Amino acid sequence: MHWPRLVFDESVQRVILQMSISPMGRDIVLAARRGLFIIDLEAPLEVPRFLPQGGTWEVADVQWNPHRLRAEYIVSTSSEKLLIWNLDAGEDVNRIHSTSHYRAITDINWHTFEPETVSSVGIDSWIWTWDLREPRKPVSGLCAFSAGGTQVKWNRQDTNVWHRRTWTKF
């Protein structure tokens, strides 16, 4: 589904909130309240691919999977919803919709070494970790209880600091 050039130009000028680049550097995704715009940087004047998000909330974050092995995946947020998009699904983009957070998601981050793993954190104090192979529910979660979260990042040096099945330190 493509939007006419006029609608795209109007949307880009007014409401683009977040941006991410594909791991190959060929495409970018621009996130707006209405949805995601995928722009091919080798043909930037072409009408971009549009993926409607289907909500009224602003996008807090959008990230393209940084791993070439899973470059077809983009994750975005809309209030308490985590949206995982599979771009290889054609016109009927496989959008996985998760609502484990009960307050707005503030940050998302793909795992540094595992291309199927992404984490989210929200104002509800929860950090949820998701596996693309089983995306309907989180594979693990941590809660701070005292304050809402603002950022979640994976360690770029050591992935074995925490055992994710029991959340105990090695």
Side-chain angles (χ1 to χ4, degrees):
M1 171 178 179
H2 293 290
W3 277 23
R5 164 76 58 204
L6 179 62
V7 174
F8 172 68
D9 289 344
E10 177 184 298
S11 295
V12 168
Q13 290 174 10
R14 290 194 295 135
V15 294
I16 295 301
L17 301 170
Q18 300 291 328
M19 183 187 89
S20 185
I21 192 162
S22 69
M24 280 67 104
R26 178 187 168 151
D27 302 289
I28 61 170
V29 57
L30 302 175
R33 180 180 289 192
R34 293 181 183 172
L36 306 180
F37 295 94
I38 310 294
I39 299 174
D40 181 348
L41 295 177
E42 292 184 6
L45 299 178
E46 295 293 320
V47 175
R49 182 176 179 186
F50 176 72
L51 308 173
Q53 106 170 343
T56 57
W57 295 96
E58 301 288 351
V59 175
D61 201 358
V62 65
Q63 287 189 15
W64 210 303
N65 191 323
H67 303 281
R68 290 176 185 252
L69 183 64
R70 293 285 181 246
E72 71 272 19
Y73 285 101
I74 294 173
V75 64
S76 67
T77 66
S78 176
S79 189
E80 73 280 353
K81 293 182 279 188
L82 181 80
L83 304 170
I84 301 172
W85 307 82
N86 181 346
L87 301 179
D88 284 351
E91 288 298 318
D92 297 324
V93 173
N94 183 15
R95 184 177 76 176
I96 299 161
H97 183 102
S98 176
T99 57
S100 288
H101 285 280
Y102 60 90
R103 305 254 333 254
I105 297 172
T106 55
D107 196 24
I108 49 182
N109 192 240
W110 289 100
H111 194 283
T112 309
F113 301 106
E114 296 176 19
E116 291 87 10
T117 305
V118 64
S119 289
S120 61
V121 65
I123 296 172
D124 58 5
S125 301
W126 279 94
I127 298 172
W128 292 109
T129 299
W130 311 85
D131 188 325
L132 297 179
R133 295 164 291 197
E134 189 59 44
R136 299 285 173 207
K137 61 182 182 173
V139 293
S140 58
L142 293 169
C143 186
F145 292 111
S146 59
T150 57
Q151 283 193 320
V152 61
K153 299 291 180 235
W154 286 97
N155 187 328
R156 295 182 185 276
Q157 307 300 318
D158 184 5
T159 61
N160 297 314
V161 176
W162 295 93
H163 188 284
R164 281 192 297 226
R165 274 186 264 150
T166 61
W167 288 103
T168 57
K169 201 167 185 177
F170 283 118

